[in-house]
Amino acid sequence: MSNARANHLTRRGIIAAGGALSLGAVLAACGDDDPKSGGSKATESAAAKSGPWTFKDDRGTTVKLDKIPANIVAFTGVAAALHDYGIQVKGVFGPTRTTDGKADVQAGDMDITKVEVIGNVWDEFNVEKYAALAPDVLISTTFDNAGTLWYVPEASKDKIAKLAPSVAVSVYDRQITAPLERMWELAESLGADMAAAADAKKRFETAATRLRAAAKAKPEIKVMAGSASDQLFYVSGTNLSIDLEYFKALGVNFIEPPESAKAEGGGWYESLSWENVDKYKADIIMMDDRSSTIQPADIAKPTWKQLPAVKAGQVISRSPEPILSYDKCVPLLENLAEALEKAKKVA
């Protein structure tokens, strides 16, 4: 994570190293000490689609309902992943609409006109709208070991928790294959037709093989993961980020800011002034594609334009919060593989 959102996390203490309502009965949830078991094995595999539903999430919490949840409210990126598996949610929170009313990049292929948007920016979550949806379950990601639900505001989290149980998929300090598997298991538990998604999983594996081969063929090519704001440029290290950790494991040669330089960013990134944006010599720059950041085409800083990778046209997009379906993650691998295959040593 390499932009202002991580600043929110460190300020709120989420990452150390991210009026009473008539709410009705609280659905039971019990703790479990083994967060790594779950998914297909923890759910009865949705065999009886009208029967009880159980899912153990990455906090080690087991949620049990009398039936498979129909009224699902989810973080936008999670909702987009479930959409790819054929699961429709009722409400979303998180970046969903851009300022011109179009679907945010994190909304994926969802039709955002068919979901209730109960929060579109950080710290925005309309509890009354959420209650009106009569949610069966809330699903989000978590960027820390504490299981903090991403984009659920600290100030209203207790009210929100009384409405419905929650499920968390961890995207903290692991390779992307782990949350992809968990989202697959979650979708399967919700009744998705996983046979229809099998092709995307195969394409992901093929793309991973291609990226590994490209990295092996071009070990001298250095890649930098960046993110832009008006005042600062952020350089992400591979540690903690699910995409970068996986790409590194496949052999991609990343620029790694020292841990001391990443301290201010909670261990995620180093902040550079635009005057010092040339601190690291990169052959390829991967730039944060989220709408909260400045996109490469809109960066007017002279120091940016002088970077060798920029002058060579070796700048590609990066999704620091990937939509966790195999279909959406295939292009992430293919784009980086193609960039490596075509890259020239310019730094």
Side-chain angles (χ1 to χ4, degrees):
M1 192 180 324
S2 54
N3 70 353
R5 295 183 189 177
N7 284 334
H8 287 300
L9 288 167
T10 51
R11 284 202 299 271
R12 296 173 65 208
I14 295 176
I15 291 180
L21 296 171
S22 177
L23 303 177
V26 179
L27 295 170
C30 60
D32 194 300
D33 292 331
D34 181 13
K36 293 188 178 180
S37 63
S40 303
K41 295 180 181 178
T43 65
E44 301 296 333
S45 190
K49 293 191 176 183
S50 61
W53 183 78
T54 302
F55 192 84
K56 184 184 293 181
D57 75 0
D58 288 338
R59 299 169 299 183
T61 298
T62 299
V63 177
K64 298 180 180 180
L65 301 178
D66 292 337
K67 59 181 180 179
I68 292 176
N71 293 349
I72 301 170
V73 175
F75 171 67
T76 302
V78 170
L82 292 176
H83 173 83
D84 286 352
Y85 290 122
I87 304 297
Q88 181 67 33
V89 306
K90 293 293 181 68
V92 296
F93 56 94
T96 306
R97 287 189 296 252
T98 59
T99 54
D100 59 2
K102 296 180 180 179
D104 188 275
V105 64
Q106 291 187 256
D109 293 331
M110 278 195 304
D111 183 346
I112 63 173
T113 67
K114 294 183 178 180
V115 292
E116 182 74 48
V117 181
I118 60 177
N120 195 59
V121 297
W122 183 263
D123 236 18
E124 179 182 81
F125 192 112
N126 190 312
V127 181
E128 287 72 24
K129 283 186 177 181
Y130 179 56
L133 291 173
D136 295 321
V137 67
L138 179 147
I139 310 174
S140 190
T141 51
T142 181
F143 279 90
D144 62 19
N145 282 325
T148 307
L149 295 172
W150 190 230
Y151 266 81
V152 172
E154 184 72 18
S156 54
K157 67 177 184 179
D158 292 339
K159 288 182 180 180
I160 293 166
K162 290 177 182 178
L163 281 162
S166 61
V167 167
V169 175
S170 179
V171 289
Y172 177 68
D173 196 18
R174 60 198 61 198
Q175 295 178 22
I176 196 172
T177 47
L180 274 172
E181 290 169 2
R182 295 297 281 141
M183 193 64 69
W184 174 285
E185 292 164 353
L186 178 60
E188 183 178 33
S189 79
L190 294 169
D193 178 4
M194 305 319 292
D199 177 66
K201 192 171 185 179
K202 290 179 181 177
R203 288 189 289 110
F204 178 88
E205 293 165 354
T206 298
T209 299
R210 178 184 175 185
L211 178 54
R212 187 189 298 275
K216 185 176 181 180
K218 297 277 188 76
E220 74 282 4
I221 298 297
K222 291 189 175 183
V223 180
M224 179 169 68
S227 184
S229 71
D230 183 59
Q231 298 298 320
L232 295 170
F233 183 84
Y234 306 94
V235 180
S236 291
T238 58
N239 190 31
L240 305 181
S241 296
I242 58 172
D243 61 329
L244 301 184
E245 285 199 13
Y246 184 56
F247 299 156
K248 182 179 180 180
L250 292 176
V252 178
N253 182 8
F254 280 99
I255 287 170
E256 299 279 4
E259 291 303 316
S260 58
K262 295 189 295 180
E264 183 182 348
W268 293 84
Y269 59 84
E270 177 182 1
S271 302
L272 298 175
S273 66
W274 283 102
E275 290 76 13
N276 295 316
V277 74
D278 61 351
K279 178 178 179 179
Y280 299 107
K281 310 305 179 185
D283 300 296
I284 294 174
I285 302 176
M286 302 177 67
M287 289 296 291
D288 190 334
D289 68 355
R290 292 174 292 185
S291 57
S292 57
T293 68
I294 301 175
Q295 296 306 300
D298 299 320
I299 300 175
K301 307 290 184 180
T303 49
W304 163 260
K305 294 182 178 180
Q306 292 303 310
L307 294 177
V310 176
K311 293 171 73 174
Q314 295 181 171
V315 178
I316 64 172
S317 65
R318 175 199 168 207
S319 299
E321 293 183 63
I323 294 173
L324 295 171
S325 71
Y326 287 100
D327 180 71
K328 289 297 183 294
C329 288
V330 168
L332 308 184
L333 298 172
E334 291 180 337
N335 291 345
L336 181 52
E338 182 179 9
L340 283 168
E341 289 162 357
K342 295 180 177 179
K344 295 179 180 179
K345 184 70 180 173
V346 295

